PDB file of all heavy atoms in Angstrom:
ATOM      1  N   SER A   1       5.106   0.584   7.501  1.00  0.00           N
ATOM      2  CA  SER A   1       5.391   2.035   7.520  1.00  0.00           C
ATOM      3  C   SER A   1       4.358   2.852   6.739  1.00  0.00           C
ATOM      4  O   SER A   1       3.929   3.882   7.194  1.00  0.00           O
ATOM      5  CB  SER A   1       6.819   2.303   6.990  1.00  0.00           C
ATOM      6  OG  SER A   1       6.901   1.875   5.681  1.00  0.00           O
ATOM      7  N   PHE A   2       3.804   2.259   5.644  1.00  0.00           N
ATOM      8  CA  PHE A   2       2.765   2.946   4.895  1.00  0.00           C
ATOM      9  C   PHE A   2       1.465   3.042   5.690  1.00  0.00           C
ATOM     10  O   PHE A   2       0.851   4.120   5.759  1.00  0.00           O
ATOM     11  CB  PHE A   2       2.533   2.245   3.530  1.00  0.00           C
ATOM     12  CG  PHE A   2       1.811   3.130   2.604  1.00  0.00           C
ATOM     13  CD1 PHE A   2       2.462   4.038   1.786  1.00  0.00           C
ATOM     14  CD2 PHE A   2       0.441   3.059   2.426  1.00  0.00           C
ATOM     15  CE1 PHE A   2       1.781   4.838   0.883  1.00  0.00           C
ATOM     16  CE2 PHE A   2      -0.258   3.827   1.524  1.00  0.00           C
ATOM     17  CZ  PHE A   2       0.393   4.719   0.760  1.00  0.00           C
ATOM     18  N   ILE A   3       1.137   1.951   6.395  1.00  0.00           N
ATOM     19  CA  ILE A   3      -0.061   1.922   7.224  1.00  0.00           C
ATOM     20  C   ILE A   3       0.096   2.999   8.358  1.00  0.00           C
ATOM     21  O   ILE A   3      -0.870   3.750   8.603  1.00  0.00           O
ATOM     22  CB  ILE A   3      -0.352   0.522   7.780  1.00  0.00           C
ATOM     23  CG1 ILE A   3      -0.830  -0.359   6.566  1.00  0.00           C
ATOM     24  CG2 ILE A   3      -1.406   0.553   8.887  1.00  0.00           C
ATOM     25  CD1 ILE A   3      -0.811  -1.849   6.926  1.00  0.00           C
ATOM     26  N   GLU A   4       1.202   2.945   9.047  1.00  0.00           N
ATOM     27  CA  GLU A   4       1.432   3.899  10.139  1.00  0.00           C
ATOM     28  C   GLU A   4       1.287   5.328   9.674  1.00  0.00           C
ATOM     29  O   GLU A   4       0.756   6.174  10.378  1.00  0.00           O
ATOM     30  CB  GLU A   4       2.775   3.676  10.750  1.00  0.00           C
ATOM     31  CG  GLU A   4       2.878   2.549  11.676  1.00  0.00           C
ATOM     32  CD  GLU A   4       4.276   2.466  12.315  1.00  0.00           C
ATOM     33  OE1 GLU A   4       5.162   3.334  12.147  1.00  0.00           O
ATOM     34  OE2 GLU A   4       4.485   1.510  13.174  1.00  0.00           O
ATOM     35  N   THR A   5       1.792   5.607   8.472  1.00  0.00           N
ATOM     36  CA  THR A   5       1.839   7.001   7.958  1.00  0.00           C
ATOM     37  C   THR A   5       0.491   7.462   7.470  1.00  0.00           C
ATOM     38  O   THR A   5       0.099   8.592   7.653  1.00  0.00           O
ATOM     39  CB  THR A   5       2.914   7.117   6.881  1.00  0.00           C
ATOM     40  OG1 THR A   5       4.188   6.666   7.395  1.00  0.00           O
ATOM     41  CG2 THR A   5       3.063   8.577   6.357  1.00  0.00           C
ATOM     42  N   TYR A   6      -0.272   6.581   6.790  1.00  0.00           N
ATOM     43  CA  TYR A   6      -1.487   7.078   6.027  1.00  0.00           C
ATOM     44  C   TYR A   6      -2.802   6.469   6.435  1.00  0.00           C
ATOM     45  O   TYR A   6      -3.832   7.000   5.972  1.00  0.00           O
ATOM     46  CB  TYR A   6      -1.263   6.799   4.539  1.00  0.00           C
ATOM     47  CG  TYR A   6      -0.035   7.538   3.972  1.00  0.00           C
ATOM     48  CD1 TYR A   6       1.076   6.792   3.577  1.00  0.00           C
ATOM     49  CD2 TYR A   6       0.038   8.890   3.972  1.00  0.00           C
ATOM     50  CE1 TYR A   6       2.236   7.471   3.095  1.00  0.00           C
ATOM     51  CE2 TYR A   6       1.139   9.583   3.527  1.00  0.00           C
ATOM     52  CZ  TYR A   6       2.235   8.853   3.056  1.00  0.00           C
ATOM     53  OH  TYR A   6       3.361   9.535   2.600  1.00  0.00           O
ATOM     54  N   ALA A   7      -2.854   5.422   7.205  1.00  0.00           N
ATOM     55  CA  ALA A   7      -4.141   4.767   7.501  1.00  0.00           C
ATOM     56  C   ALA A   7      -5.165   5.674   8.155  1.00  0.00           C
ATOM     57  O   ALA A   7      -6.378   5.657   7.899  1.00  0.00           O
ATOM     58  CB  ALA A   7      -3.940   3.514   8.311  1.00  0.00           C
ATOM     59  N   SER A   8      -4.663   6.547   9.002  1.00  0.00           N
ATOM     60  CA  SER A   8      -5.592   7.401   9.767  1.00  0.00           C
ATOM     61  C   SER A   8      -6.317   8.470   8.914  1.00  0.00           C
ATOM     62  O   SER A   8      -7.390   8.987   9.262  1.00  0.00           O
ATOM     63  CB  SER A   8      -4.937   8.066  10.987  1.00  0.00           C
ATOM     64  OG  SER A   8      -3.958   9.067  10.453  1.00  0.00           O
ATOM     65  N   LYS A   9      -5.761   8.697   7.763  1.00  0.00           N
ATOM     66  CA  LYS A   9      -6.350   9.761   6.871  1.00  0.00           C
ATOM     67  C   LYS A   9      -6.947   9.194   5.546  1.00  0.00           C
ATOM     68  O   LYS A   9      -7.265   9.929   4.663  1.00  0.00           O
ATOM     69  CB  LYS A   9      -5.339  10.824   6.555  1.00  0.00           C
ATOM     70  CG  LYS A   9      -4.871  11.613   7.788  1.00  0.00           C
ATOM     71  CD  LYS A   9      -4.040  12.779   7.394  1.00  0.00           C
ATOM     72  CE  LYS A   9      -3.744  13.551   8.662  1.00  0.00           C
ATOM     73  NZ  LYS A   9      -3.078  14.831   8.327  1.00  0.00           N
ATOM     74  N   ASN A  10      -7.029   7.906   5.466  1.00  0.00           N
ATOM     75  CA  ASN A  10      -7.561   7.236   4.258  1.00  0.00           C
ATOM     76  C   ASN A  10      -8.532   6.125   4.607  1.00  0.00           C
ATOM     77  O   ASN A  10      -8.421   5.547   5.680  1.00  0.00           O
ATOM     78  CB  ASN A  10      -6.406   6.770   3.416  1.00  0.00           C
ATOM     79  CG  ASN A  10      -5.610   7.873   2.809  1.00  0.00           C
ATOM     80  OD1 ASN A  10      -5.998   8.498   1.888  1.00  0.00           O
ATOM     81  ND2 ASN A  10      -4.445   8.178   3.352  1.00  0.00           N
ATOM     82  N   THR A  11      -9.326   5.759   3.591  1.00  0.00           N
ATOM     83  CA  THR A  11     -10.245   4.598   3.933  1.00  0.00           C
ATOM     84  C   THR A  11      -9.491   3.303   3.880  1.00  0.00           C
ATOM     85  O   THR A  11      -8.491   3.168   3.243  1.00  0.00           O
ATOM     86  CB  THR A  11     -11.407   4.564   2.862  1.00  0.00           C
ATOM     87  OG1 THR A  11     -10.769   4.225   1.547  1.00  0.00           O
ATOM     88  CG2 THR A  11     -12.153   5.902   2.716  1.00  0.00           C
ATOM     89  N   ALA A  12     -10.004   2.329   4.618  1.00  0.00           N
ATOM     90  CA  ALA A  12      -9.482   1.017   4.627  1.00  0.00           C
ATOM     91  C   ALA A  12      -9.403   0.382   3.206  1.00  0.00           C
ATOM     92  O   ALA A  12      -8.477  -0.287   2.826  1.00  0.00           O
ATOM     93  CB  ALA A  12     -10.192   0.117   5.561  1.00  0.00           C
ATOM     94  N   LYS A  13     -10.510   0.646   2.443  1.00  0.00           N
ATOM     95  CA  LYS A  13     -10.542   0.068   1.097  1.00  0.00           C
ATOM     96  C   LYS A  13      -9.462   0.664   0.143  1.00  0.00           C
ATOM     97  O   LYS A  13      -8.792  -0.079  -0.527  1.00  0.00           O
ATOM     98  CB  LYS A  13     -11.941   0.396   0.439  1.00  0.00           C
ATOM     99  CG  LYS A  13     -12.151  -0.180  -0.914  1.00  0.00           C
ATOM    100  CD  LYS A  13     -13.550   0.119  -1.413  1.00  0.00           C
ATOM    101  CE  LYS A  13     -13.746  -0.436  -2.800  1.00  0.00           C
ATOM    102  NZ  LYS A  13     -15.048  -0.099  -3.362  1.00  0.00           N
ATOM    103  N   ASN A  14      -9.197   1.964   0.229  1.00  0.00           N
ATOM    104  CA  ASN A  14      -8.141   2.585  -0.586  1.00  0.00           C
ATOM    105  C   ASN A  14      -6.766   2.169  -0.089  1.00  0.00           C
ATOM    106  O   ASN A  14      -5.882   1.930  -0.940  1.00  0.00           O
ATOM    107  CB  ASN A  14      -8.247   4.158  -0.506  1.00  0.00           C
ATOM    108  CG  ASN A  14      -9.343   4.625  -1.472  1.00  0.00           C
ATOM    109  OD1 ASN A  14      -9.762   3.919  -2.383  1.00  0.00           O
ATOM    110  ND2 ASN A  14      -9.906   5.811  -1.166  1.00  0.00           N
ATOM    111  N   MET A  15      -6.651   2.020   1.226  1.00  0.00           N
ATOM    112  CA  MET A  15      -5.343   1.519   1.752  1.00  0.00           C
ATOM    113  C   MET A  15      -5.029   0.096   1.263  1.00  0.00           C
ATOM    114  O   MET A  15      -3.967  -0.154   0.818  1.00  0.00           O
ATOM    115  CB  MET A  15      -5.301   1.563   3.258  1.00  0.00           C
ATOM    116  CG  MET A  15      -5.249   2.970   3.882  1.00  0.00           C
ATOM    117  SD  MET A  15      -3.706   3.829   3.563  1.00  0.00           S
ATOM    118  CE  MET A  15      -2.533   2.807   4.491  1.00  0.00           C
ATOM    119  N   GLU A  16      -6.026  -0.748   1.345  1.00  0.00           N
ATOM    120  CA  GLU A  16      -5.831  -2.138   0.969  1.00  0.00           C
ATOM    121  C   GLU A  16      -5.521  -2.232  -0.542  1.00  0.00           C
ATOM    122  O   GLU A  16      -4.660  -2.970  -0.948  1.00  0.00           O
ATOM    123  CB  GLU A  16      -7.090  -2.977   1.277  1.00  0.00           C
ATOM    124  CG  GLU A  16      -6.900  -4.469   0.971  1.00  0.00           C
ATOM    125  CD  GLU A  16      -5.752  -5.076   1.741  1.00  0.00           C
ATOM    126  OE1 GLU A  16      -5.471  -4.704   2.890  1.00  0.00           O
ATOM    127  OE2 GLU A  16      -5.069  -5.950   1.148  1.00  0.00           O
ATOM    128  N   ALA A  17      -6.183  -1.397  -1.377  1.00  0.00           N
ATOM    129  CA  ALA A  17      -5.937  -1.451  -2.817  1.00  0.00           C
ATOM    130  C   ALA A  17      -4.470  -1.012  -3.049  1.00  0.00           C
ATOM    131  O   ALA A  17      -3.823  -1.611  -3.861  1.00  0.00           O
ATOM    132  CB  ALA A  17      -6.945  -0.496  -3.498  1.00  0.00           C
ATOM    133  N   TYR A  18      -4.045   0.048  -2.401  1.00  0.00           N
ATOM    134  CA  TYR A  18      -2.702   0.523  -2.591  1.00  0.00           C
ATOM    135  C   TYR A  18      -1.634  -0.495  -2.161  1.00  0.00           C
ATOM    136  O   TYR A  18      -0.692  -0.812  -2.854  1.00  0.00           O
ATOM    137  CB  TYR A  18      -2.441   1.898  -1.912  1.00  0.00           C
ATOM    138  CG  TYR A  18      -1.085   2.456  -2.278  1.00  0.00           C
ATOM    139  CD1 TYR A  18      -0.977   3.206  -3.452  1.00  0.00           C
ATOM    140  CD2 TYR A  18       0.016   2.267  -1.542  1.00  0.00           C
ATOM    141  CE1 TYR A  18       0.240   3.721  -3.860  1.00  0.00           C
ATOM    142  CE2 TYR A  18       1.226   2.723  -1.878  1.00  0.00           C
ATOM    143  CZ  TYR A  18       1.353   3.503  -3.062  1.00  0.00           C
ATOM    144  OH  TYR A  18       2.589   3.973  -3.442  1.00  0.00           O
ATOM    145  N   LEU A  19      -1.864  -1.071  -0.963  1.00  0.00           N
ATOM    146  CA  LEU A  19      -0.905  -2.062  -0.469  1.00  0.00           C
ATOM    147  C   LEU A  19      -0.838  -3.284  -1.418  1.00  0.00           C
ATOM    148  O   LEU A  19       0.231  -3.762  -1.662  1.00  0.00           O
ATOM    149  CB  LEU A  19      -1.329  -2.491   0.970  1.00  0.00           C
ATOM    150  CG  LEU A  19      -1.238  -1.438   2.034  1.00  0.00           C
ATOM    151  CD1 LEU A  19      -1.864  -1.918   3.357  1.00  0.00           C
ATOM    152  CD2 LEU A  19       0.182  -0.949   2.244  1.00  0.00           C
ATOM    153  N   THR A  20      -1.937  -3.735  -1.883  1.00  0.00           N
ATOM    154  CA  THR A  20      -1.992  -4.865  -2.781  1.00  0.00           C
ATOM    155  C   THR A  20      -1.270  -4.526  -4.152  1.00  0.00           C
ATOM    156  O   THR A  20      -0.482  -5.415  -4.641  1.00  0.00           O
ATOM    157  CB  THR A  20      -3.415  -5.285  -2.979  1.00  0.00           C
ATOM    158  OG1 THR A  20      -4.038  -5.677  -1.795  1.00  0.00           O
ATOM    159  CG2 THR A  20      -3.503  -6.522  -4.019  1.00  0.00           C
ATOM    160  N   ASP A  21      -1.578  -3.367  -4.660  1.00  0.00           N
ATOM    161  CA  ASP A  21      -0.976  -3.006  -5.919  1.00  0.00           C
ATOM    162  C   ASP A  21       0.566  -2.761  -5.869  1.00  0.00           C
ATOM    163  O   ASP A  21       1.212  -2.915  -6.874  1.00  0.00           O
ATOM    164  CB  ASP A  21      -1.679  -1.732  -6.566  1.00  0.00           C
ATOM    165  CG  ASP A  21      -3.105  -2.042  -6.925  1.00  0.00           C
ATOM    166  OD1 ASP A  21      -3.517  -3.276  -7.079  1.00  0.00           O
ATOM    167  OD2 ASP A  21      -3.854  -1.063  -7.188  1.00  0.00           O
ATOM    168  N   ASN A  22       0.981  -2.284  -4.757  1.00  0.00           N
ATOM    169  CA  ASN A  22       2.375  -1.746  -4.682  1.00  0.00           C
ATOM    170  C   ASN A  22       3.332  -2.528  -3.892  1.00  0.00           C
ATOM    171  O   ASN A  22       4.535  -2.472  -4.060  1.00  0.00           O
ATOM    172  CB  ASN A  22       2.366  -0.300  -4.259  1.00  0.00           C
ATOM    173  CG  ASN A  22       1.754   0.597  -5.300  1.00  0.00           C
ATOM    174  OD1 ASN A  22       2.440   1.014  -6.229  1.00  0.00           O
ATOM    175  ND2 ASN A  22       0.456   0.878  -5.074  1.00  0.00           N
ATOM    176  N   PHE A  23       2.841  -3.299  -2.844  1.00  0.00           N
ATOM    177  CA  PHE A  23       3.713  -3.933  -1.915  1.00  0.00           C
ATOM    178  C   PHE A  23       3.568  -5.443  -1.873  1.00  0.00           C
ATOM    179  O   PHE A  23       3.958  -6.069  -0.900  1.00  0.00           O
ATOM    180  CB  PHE A  23       3.509  -3.340  -0.541  1.00  0.00           C
ATOM    181  CG  PHE A  23       3.860  -1.886  -0.457  1.00  0.00           C
ATOM    182  CD1 PHE A  23       2.988  -1.066   0.234  1.00  0.00           C
ATOM    183  CD2 PHE A  23       4.932  -1.316  -1.054  1.00  0.00           C
ATOM    184  CE1 PHE A  23       3.260   0.316   0.341  1.00  0.00           C
ATOM    185  CE2 PHE A  23       5.228   0.044  -0.953  1.00  0.00           C
ATOM    186  CZ  PHE A  23       4.322   0.834  -0.255  1.00  0.00           C
ATOM    187  N   SER A  24       2.987  -6.058  -2.908  1.00  0.00           N
ATOM    188  CA  SER A  24       2.946  -7.513  -2.942  1.00  0.00           C
ATOM    189  C   SER A  24       4.337  -8.078  -3.247  1.00  0.00           C
ATOM    190  O   SER A  24       5.152  -7.309  -3.866  1.00  0.00           O
ATOM    191  CB  SER A  24       1.936  -7.954  -4.034  1.00  0.00           C
ATOM    192  OG  SER A  24       2.501  -7.616  -5.336  1.00  0.00           O
ATOM    193  N   PRO A  25       4.614  -9.271  -2.844  1.00  0.00           N
ATOM    194  CA  PRO A  25       5.920  -9.842  -3.203  1.00  0.00           C
ATOM    195  C   PRO A  25       6.285  -9.780  -4.657  1.00  0.00           C
ATOM    196  O   PRO A  25       7.407  -9.478  -5.019  1.00  0.00           O
ATOM    197  CB  PRO A  25       5.808 -11.308  -2.699  1.00  0.00           C
ATOM    198  CG  PRO A  25       4.836 -11.243  -1.577  1.00  0.00           C
ATOM    199  CD  PRO A  25       3.792 -10.208  -2.033  1.00  0.00           C
ATOM    200  N   SER A  26       5.292 -10.075  -5.564  1.00  0.00           N
ATOM    201  CA  SER A  26       5.555 -10.044  -6.995  1.00  0.00           C
ATOM    202  C   SER A  26       5.890  -8.641  -7.446  1.00  0.00           C
ATOM    203  O   SER A  26       6.762  -8.459  -8.260  1.00  0.00           O
ATOM    204  CB  SER A  26       4.397 -10.644  -7.741  1.00  0.00           C
ATOM    205  OG  SER A  26       3.234  -9.866  -7.615  1.00  0.00           O
ATOM    206  N   GLN A  27       5.169  -7.589  -6.998  1.00  0.00           N
ATOM    207  CA  GLN A  27       5.463  -6.264  -7.382  1.00  0.00           C
ATOM    208  C   GLN A  27       6.805  -5.781  -6.859  1.00  0.00           C
ATOM    209  O   GLN A  27       7.578  -5.165  -7.543  1.00  0.00           O
ATOM    210  CB  GLN A  27       4.282  -5.333  -6.849  1.00  0.00           C
ATOM    211  CG  GLN A  27       4.496  -3.872  -7.245  1.00  0.00           C
ATOM    212  CD  GLN A  27       4.344  -3.642  -8.718  1.00  0.00           C
ATOM    213  OE1 GLN A  27       5.350  -3.906  -9.463  1.00  0.00           O
ATOM    214  NE2 GLN A  27       3.238  -3.180  -9.214  1.00  0.00           N
ATOM    215  N   LEU A  28       7.117  -6.108  -5.628  1.00  0.00           N
ATOM    216  CA  LEU A  28       8.357  -5.721  -5.039  1.00  0.00           C
ATOM    217  C   LEU A  28       9.579  -6.402  -5.759  1.00  0.00           C
ATOM    218  O   LEU A  28      10.558  -5.790  -6.027  1.00  0.00           O
ATOM    219  CB  LEU A  28       8.452  -5.990  -3.537  1.00  0.00           C
ATOM    220  CG  LEU A  28       7.505  -5.115  -2.674  1.00  0.00           C
ATOM    221  CD1 LEU A  28       7.454  -5.541  -1.212  1.00  0.00           C
ATOM    222  CD2 LEU A  28       7.954  -3.620  -2.762  1.00  0.00           C
ATOM    223  N   LYS A  29       9.325  -7.681  -6.078  1.00  0.00           N
ATOM    224  CA  LYS A  29      10.342  -8.393  -6.842  1.00  0.00           C
ATOM    225  C   LYS A  29      10.663  -7.730  -8.194  1.00  0.00           C
ATOM    226  O   LYS A  29      11.832  -7.571  -8.602  1.00  0.00           O
ATOM    227  CB  LYS A  29       9.917  -9.849  -7.027  1.00  0.00           C
ATOM    228  CG  LYS A  29      10.924 -10.702  -7.766  1.00  0.00           C
ATOM    229  CD  LYS A  29      10.456 -12.155  -7.875  1.00  0.00           C
ATOM    230  CE  LYS A  29      11.507 -12.984  -8.519  1.00  0.00           C
ATOM    231  NZ  LYS A  29      11.095 -14.394  -8.702  1.00  0.00           N
ATOM    232  N   LYS A  30       9.569  -7.327  -8.867  1.00  0.00           N
ATOM    233  CA  LYS A  30       9.730  -6.640 -10.101  1.00  0.00           C
ATOM    234  C   LYS A  30      10.490  -5.330  -9.978  1.00  0.00           C
ATOM    235  O   LYS A  30      11.353  -5.020 -10.783  1.00  0.00           O
ATOM    236  CB  LYS A  30       8.260  -6.349 -10.669  1.00  0.00           C
ATOM    237  CG  LYS A  30       8.247  -5.815 -12.078  1.00  0.00           C
ATOM    238  CD  LYS A  30       6.880  -5.825 -12.605  1.00  0.00           C
ATOM    239  CE  LYS A  30       6.321  -4.462 -12.850  1.00  0.00           C
ATOM    240  NZ  LYS A  30       4.988  -4.314 -13.321  1.00  0.00           N
ATOM    241  N   GLN A  31      10.237  -4.625  -8.823  1.00  0.00           N
ATOM    242  CA  GLN A  31      10.894  -3.355  -8.640  1.00  0.00           C
ATOM    243  C   GLN A  31      12.361  -3.593  -8.314  1.00  0.00           C
ATOM    244  O   GLN A  31      13.266  -2.813  -8.797  1.00  0.00           O
ATOM    245  CB  GLN A  31      10.189  -2.565  -7.527  1.00  0.00           C
ATOM    246  CG  GLN A  31       8.815  -2.081  -7.866  1.00  0.00           C
ATOM    247  CD  GLN A  31       8.079  -1.473  -6.744  1.00  0.00           C
ATOM    248  OE1 GLN A  31       8.705  -0.725  -5.986  1.00  0.00           O
ATOM    249  NE2 GLN A  31       6.862  -1.780  -6.614  1.00  0.00           N
TER     250      GLN A  31
END
């Protein structure tokens, strides 16, 4: 859902950084 919503208006590098920082299994488990 995040990719569908924001990928077209952001760089691949920034998208990947955000996805890794916020949606990794360990991060989601913590949340």
Side-chain angles (χ1 to χ4, degrees):
S1 59
F2 197 84
I3 289 167
E4 283 185 1
T5 305
Y6 300 112
S8 67
K9 294 189 176 188
N10 291 283
T11 67
K13 183 178 180 182
N14 283 337
M15 288 293 294
E16 185 57 38
Y18 187 84
L19 293 172
T20 300
D21 289 347
N22 292 278
F23 300 137
S24 67
S26 62
Q27 182 64 282
L28 291 171
K29 182 178 180 181
K30 187 169 116 181
Q31 292 174 42

